[in-house]
Amino acid sequence: MLADFDELKKLILFSCNYAMLAGSCLMKVPQISNILKAGSVVGLSESWVVNECIAGLLWVYYNVLVGHAFVTYGEAVIVGVQNVII
């Protein structure tokens, strides 16, 4: 009985991690779409984009150094790529 509960817990955590990764793929899509439609980035804060890129890069760098699994910091990688596109 206890082994079944542990397996269920692992499955739920695994599912949540990959759901977060999948959700992060869509996080900035509306903003990128609006930029493409408008053909302009007027109204976006350049410092916000740069700060978010730097913070994400540092978070990824830390997790790589510590040796965490990609699902731990993968969301930051995906969002960082989207920020670079912005």
Side-chain angles (χ1 to χ4, degrees):
M1 179 71 180
L2 187 59
D4 291 339
F5 181 73
D6 287 342
E7 291 298 318
L8 178 64
K9 192 164 86 171
K10 286 179 185 178
L11 178 65
I12 291 171
L13 289 173
F14 182 81
S15 299
C16 287
N17 281 335
Y18 281 98
M20 285 177 51
L21 280 176
S24 68
C25 290
L26 303 173
M27 187 172 169
K28 303 281 184 175
V29 170
Q31 190 173 21
I32 293 170
S33 175
N34 288 340
I35 291 169
L36 292 174
K37 284 180 191 175
S40 172
V41 292
V42 172
L44 277 180
S45 169
E46 184 179 348
S47 62
W48 167 80
V49 175
V50 170
N51 283 334
E52 191 168 5
C53 284
I54 291 170
L57 178 65
L58 291 174
W59 177 248
V60 170
Y61 183 64
Y62 166 77
N63 281 283
V64 169
L65 287 177
V66 173
H68 290 152
F70 180 76
V71 294
T72 306
Y73 62 90
E75 178 184 359
V77 172
I78 295 168
V79 172
V81 169
Q82 294 173 4
N83 281 332
V84 169
I85 292 171
I86 290 175

